Amino acid sequence: MSDKFNCVNHELQHIRSFSSTPRFYKAVVIDGKAIAQDIKNEIKAEVDALVEAGNRPPHLAVLLVGNDPASIVYVKNKSQAAHYTGISCDILRIPAKVSEAELLKEIEFLNSLEENDGILVQLPLPAHIDERTVCDAVLPAKDVDGFNVLNVGRFCVDQKAFIPATPSGVLEIIRRLKIETNGKNAVVIGRSKNVGLPIALHLHSDGNGGSRAGDATTTICHRNTTPEQLRHFTQSADIIVSATGVPGLIQADMVKDGAVVIDIGITRVVEANGRAKLVGDVDFEGVSLKASLITPVPGGVGPVTVAMVIKNTLIAYKKEISYGQWNKPSIPS
């Protein structure tokens, strides 16, 4: 079901069930759940074949520090996806008061286990722990979240590397739906090191290193971009990717007809009736009448993000990316 025709069929079905009112949407709603299920089914088939051939299954270790409610949900989703595919997964619950040194020792132990293929440190971490130090402590070859500085650097120069899960999910959506990026105008709103920046780097890169990159003319907008500038850039964009966590930032009059709109933002808001719901950065109702493709929130990029972590674990298991002498922690031992 990974070909374009079948994916679009899924999305058309999603449009018909999206609203109980007889309203016509121009945009095809990208069904992230269906795409994620395709990815997980592909992984499951490969893992089943490996196990049937007498090999051990891949293994993922997830470190969850503290009791952040959102992190608990994210980790649960990743664990469920791993087990569905046949990948074993351990969740290591660590108290929020753990010292940075103690956490680094735990990562060092996981690095040393040959049977442990992937390590994921769920962010955010407690304020007294430096996230960059912890992320760089994970061996690059086991860094399935793509946060080690070596993976970041390799990605920046278009070499094979683990890419952070959310950008990887966005890129997978673009590839599977065969969204044309070559020569297009792309606008990425948000410049975070783990989301906006990697997406922009991929969309603008020439792909000569084998990354199948975008070759788009790419603009990055951020919190210091004035509303007038933001509108100017988005109105000429063929592809808009928004990752700010600002509900309703992208309105219909900011989007040109036929644009592809990918909404990564996710914010919990409380409605007038007291009920909470999740919303994205994009005014879905209005923008859907102008875009050609659009991701909903929830159910768009999120499920694909989870699936890409599991896919990276399989890649780590198969040692598809060679790091040579550089496969060591980026912190003093």
Side-chain angles (χ1 to χ4, degrees):
M1 198 188 70
S2 60
D3 60 278
K4 182 178 180 180
F5 178 79
N6 283 333
C7 280
V8 170
N9 270 347
H10 269 278
E11 284 126 28
L12 289 173
Q13 292 170 10
H14 187 61
I15 289 172
R16 287 194 291 269
S17 64
F18 191 82
S19 175
S20 58
T21 59
R23 183 172 184 175
F24 294 96
Y25 288 88
K26 177 180 179 180
V28 172
V29 180
I30 297 173
D31 189 344
K33 292 181 180 179
I35 294 173
Q37 191 62 48
D38 280 351
I39 297 168
K40 290 186 291 185
N41 287 342
E42 292 163 7
I43 296 168
K44 185 178 188 308
E46 189 167 353
V47 172
D48 286 348
L50 287 166
V51 173
E52 288 174 7
N55 301 293
R56 67 169 178 83
H59 183 78
L60 172 65
V62 180
L63 286 82
L64 176 59
V65 183
N67 296 296
D68 178 74
S71 292
I72 292 172
V73 172
Y74 295 149
V75 166
K76 179 183 177 181
N77 291 341
K78 292 167 186 175
S79 175
Q80 289 177 340
H83 287 300
Y84 173 83
T85 64
I87 292 176
S88 59
C89 178
D90 286 335
I91 300 175
L92 289 78
R93 297 292 300 266
I94 300 174
K97 63 182 181 180
V98 66
S99 70
E100 183 175 294
E102 290 171 325
L103 183 57
L104 292 175
K105 283 185 178 179
E106 187 64 42
I107 294 172
E108 183 180 10
F109 173 70
L110 294 172
N111 281 335
S112 70
L113 296 178
E114 179 65 28
E115 64 273 20
N116 185 62
D117 304 293
I119 301 172
L120 188 155
V121 181
Q122 183 63 45
L123 302 182
L125 293 171
H128 67 280
I129 296 177
D130 182 66
E131 289 186 354
R132 171 48 48 203
T133 299
V134 170
C135 291
D136 287 347
V138 178
L139 284 178
K142 298 189 178 190
D143 174 35
V144 294
D145 234 355
F147 291 164
N148 182 290
V149 71
L150 182 64
N151 276 315
V152 175
R154 286 171 66 116
F155 177 69
C156 286
V157 296
D158 197 28
Q159 292 183 358
K160 287 185 177 180
F162 287 114
I163 305 172
T166 299
S168 186
V170 171
L171 304 181
E172 192 71 11
I173 289 171
I174 289 173
R175 290 169 185 158
R176 287 184 180 249
L177 296 186
K178 298 180 173 61
I179 296 169
E180 183 59 61
T181 58
N182 191 298
K184 301 296 184 179
N185 287 332
V187 171
V188 178
I189 308 163
R191 58 181 174 181
S192 69
K193 301 301 184 290
N194 297 332
V195 180
L197 182 60
I199 292 171
L201 285 169
H202 180 92
L203 286 173
H204 97 91
S205 179
D206 59 18
N208 288 338
S211 65
R212 296 183 294 162
D215 267 317
T217 300
T218 305
T219 301
I220 302 177
C221 298
H222 47 77
R223 69 184 63 194
N224 292 323
T225 303
T226 66
E228 293 77 16
Q229 287 178 315
L230 178 61
R231 184 180 301 273
H232 168 75
F233 289 125
T234 58
Q235 285 178 337
S236 63
D238 302 298
I239 301 168
I240 298 173
V241 182
S242 187
T244 67
V246 179
L249 177 66
I250 307 302
Q251 297 292 314
D253 62 355
M254 300 170 65
V255 179
K256 76 175 186 179
D257 286 343
V260 175
V261 179
I262 298 177
D263 190 354
I264 304 174
I266 185 165
T267 305
R268 184 178 180 271
V269 299
V270 179
E271 298 180 289
N273 60 11
R275 293 182 179 178
K277 70 173 184 177
L278 297 176
V279 299
D281 294 351
V282 176
D283 171 23
F284 187 90
E285 293 290 328
V287 174
S288 292
L289 298 174
K290 299 186 71 176
S292 59
L293 290 162
I294 189 170
T295 58
V297 176
V301 175
V304 186
T305 294
V306 172
M308 294 310 293
V309 171
I310 309 308
K311 185 173 183 177
N312 278 349
T313 302
L314 179 59
I315 291 171
Y317 169 86
K318 297 192 294 182
K319 296 180 171 55
E320 290 184 5
I321 305 175
S322 175
Y323 292 89
Q325 64 176 325
W326 302 109
N327 191 39
K328 57 185 178 181
S330 301
I331 61 171
S333 57

